[in-house]
Amino acid sequence: LATGPRQNNGVFYEIRTYDIRPSKMNEFVQMLNKYVHFRTAHSELVGFWSAELGAMNKVFHIWKYDNFAHRAAVRHALANDKDWQGKFISQVLPFIEKQNNEVAYLVPWCQLGKPPKEGGVYEWVTFQMKPGGPALWGEAFQAAINAHIHTGYTKLIGVFHTEYGLLNRVHVIWWNENPDQRAAGRHNAHEDPKVVAAVRESVRFLECQENVLLVPLQCSPLK
């Protein structure tokens, strides 16, 4: 998870989460869809979602960078982009109650995927693993993810391992056509002996986990 290809490739992903004032959520989304092109002119947006279940009035977004120098150059350019600052940032800052960001790498055994079609919902699952890093829990965690993939009820979009932020944290993003398909698939997976065995091995290294059901925004490349 944290050696080999990951270290040899400078590409990383910045994961941002914002808590939005409930009364301003709709206005925030409308302004984002209208003005996000000023932001995407500077660097690649992977996805932008709003929380539907598991959290409220919260947005998740992922940005891709070639390396840390690239991110620094983008941040400098954004600070001097009058359109982005004047038409969007200065207007929506009062809407935002809390911001958080993490730097994460795609794990070496996972490529960033796309859903088979537009529409559907995304499940964002965050695993807080025990200290010790992938050398301790990486193999068991990968086996648990692969066991779910092999059930075929869900589509893996990406697996990200944090580099900055809370360490030993892994974010896994899945896609399903709808929440009911996800629920039925999960029920079947829990009765699959291979899934049960893989999960039982992995949870020995797990401290906690959390999941959120997400809906992609209009501006999101991943829909």
Side-chain angles (χ1 to χ4, degrees):
L1 279 167
T3 57
R6 203 279 292 168
Q7 297 289 355
N8 295 330
N9 188 341
V11 172
F12 67 84
Y13 299 83
E14 183 175 6
I15 298 172
R16 287 183 165 241
T17 56
Y18 297 167
D19 290 345
I20 310 298
R21 290 173 55 190
S23 62
K24 294 296 184 180
M25 185 65 181
N26 289 337
E27 191 173 350
F28 175 88
V29 171
Q30 291 172 4
M31 292 192 66
L32 178 73
N33 286 327
K34 183 176 182 180
Y35 294 119
V36 73
H37 63 281
F38 293 128
R39 176 62 183 83
T40 54
H42 293 278
S43 66
E44 181 181 347
L45 173 63
V46 174
F48 213 121
W49 303 267
S50 63
E52 182 73 13
L53 296 172
M56 296 182 69
N57 302 300
K58 196 180 192 78
V59 294
F60 294 67
H61 41 129
I62 303 176
W63 300 87
K64 181 180 179 180
Y65 294 101
D66 296 334
N67 47 49
F68 289 98
H70 178 212
R71 181 186 183 276
V74 168
R75 301 303 298 175
H76 178 76
L78 287 170
N80 293 282
D81 187 323
K82 294 181 179 179
D83 285 328
W84 178 243
Q85 294 295 330
K87 295 180 179 180
F88 183 75
I89 293 296
S90 63
Q91 302 300 314
V92 303
L93 275 180
F95 303 171
I96 302 174
E97 295 185 326
K98 183 180 178 181
Q99 294 177 296
N100 184 64
N101 78 328
E102 296 174 310
V103 166
Y105 292 91
L106 272 175
V107 299
W109 45 269
C110 171
Q111 294 183 346
L112 192 61
K114 293 183 178 181
K117 61 182 180 180
E118 290 190 1
V121 294
Y122 291 76
E123 182 180 10
W124 186 300
V125 190
T126 299
F127 298 88
Q128 185 60 46
M129 309 302 289
K130 291 183 178 179
L136 175 67
W137 43 258
E139 185 176 341
F141 186 86
Q142 181 180 355
I145 295 298
N146 285 336
H148 283 86
I149 293 173
H150 293 156
T151 63
Y153 80 90
T154 187
K155 165 71 174 177
L156 180 65
I157 300 299
V159 181
F160 301 86
H161 178 223
T162 56
E163 181 78 4
Y164 286 96
L166 191 58
L167 299 181
N168 296 292
R169 174 178 282 192
V170 185
H171 300 289
V172 183
I173 305 176
W174 303 92
W175 178 91
N176 286 279
E177 287 193 30
N178 54 64
D180 288 316
Q181 183 204 44
R182 182 260 179 198
R186 290 285 293 178
H187 179 78
N188 292 333
H190 290 163
E191 296 180 347
D192 186 320
K194 293 182 179 179
V195 174
V196 172
V199 170
R200 184 175 293 143
E201 176 65 19
S202 179
V203 297
R204 296 192 300 113
F205 308 105
L206 179 67
E207 291 195 335
C208 64
Q209 69 185 78
E210 180 180 12
N211 71 332
V212 184
L213 192 71
L214 303 176
V215 176
L217 299 186
Q218 177 184 330
C219 66
S220 179
L222 285 175
K223 286 186 169 57

